[in-house]
Amino acid sequence: MKKFKFSLESALGLRTFGKKQAGIALAQAAAQRRKTLALVESKERQLHDAEEQSTPSRGESIRVDALLTRQATVSYCREQLALANQADGKAIEAEAECYRTFMAARVDEEGLLRLKEKSKEQHQIEILRAQESAVDEFINARKRSALL
């Protein structure tokens, strides 16, 4: 009997490679997302600290230029937080896109793997039928020779 050979093995290899590449891209996007989330949290803490420092405590006298500097610092921290949130939003979108790509690659690979399994099962069935046929022919030949 001939050995099983899947005709789409090279396509399966390409799909497997594509899934691995998509998995790597997804991992990198998730790492970038964690970095941007940490940056957002850091900017939120900086803004909170700047807001606390910008409000004069009760009874504290403060010069106008110092007050303006504190307000400018708060404004700067707000801008930095907005930029960090924007970067985080882009990282979320990139991670979602990488996830969709990974899932599509996984579905493609699984489809070819199922096809390979079915082909292998069909090959086994053909081998069994050929063996049964050979045994039947042998038995019939023995019966014919016994009758002669």
Side-chain angles (χ1 to χ4, degrees), residues 50-51 53-57 60-75:
E51 285 175 338
Q53 291 174 359
S54 72
T55 50
S57 55
E60 176 186 4
S61 63
I62 187 168
R63 292 188 346 213
V64 173
D65 62 334
L67 184 60
L68 291 175
T69 302
R70 289 179 181 180
Q71 289 174 346
T73 302
V74 169
S75 177

Side-chain angles (χ1 to χ4, degrees), residues 20-145:
K20 285 180 184 177
Q21 293 295 75
I24 290 168
L26 177 58
Q28 290 171 342
Q32 183 62 35
R33 168 73 169 94
R34 286 190 299 274
K35 285 180 185 177
T36 59
L37 188 59
L39 180 65
V40 166
E41 291 171 354
S42 169
K43 296 299 178 183
E44 285 174 343
R45 282 191 302 276
Q46 287 176 358
L47 176 61
H48 178 71
D49 292 345
E51 285 175 338
E52 280 185 355
Q53 291 174 359
S54 72
T55 50
S57 55
R58 189 176 192 127
E60 176 186 4
S61 63
I62 187 168
R63 292 188 346 213
V64 173
D65 62 334
L67 184 60
L68 291 175
T69 302
R70 289 179 181 180
Q71 289 174 346
T73 302
V74 169
S75 177
Y76 175 77
C77 288
R78 283 190 182 127
E79 290 172 8
Q80 291 298 307
L81 178 60
L83 290 173
N85 279 325
Q86 188 177 30
D88 189 47
K90 288 180 181 178
I92 289 170
E93 290 172 13
E95 185 179 15
E97 181 60 32
C98 287
Y99 180 77
R100 285 189 292 274
T101 302
F102 175 77
M103 292 307 291
R106 183 175 150 200
V107 166
D108 285 347
E109 182 193 35
E110 287 175 351
L112 279 179
L113 286 171
R114 281 192 300 276
L115 182 60
K116 182 178 181 177
E117 270 306 307
K118 286 181 182 179
S119 296
K120 197 171 192 176
E121 289 172 7
Q122 186 62 35
H123 180 73
Q124 292 294 331
I125 290 170
E126 290 172 9
I127 288 174
L128 290 175
R129 284 185 183 152
Q131 288 174 347
E132 285 178 11
S133 177
V135 169
D136 288 346
E137 286 179 26
F138 178 74
I139 292 173
N140 287 338
R142 296 272 297 190
K143 284 183 183 177
R144 274 187 258 130
S145 66

Side-chain angles (χ1 to χ4, degrees), residues 10-23:
S10 60
L12 178 59
L14 287 173
R15 299 279 164 76
T16 300
F17 178 74
K19 183 181 110 177
K20 285 180 184 177
Q21 293 295 75

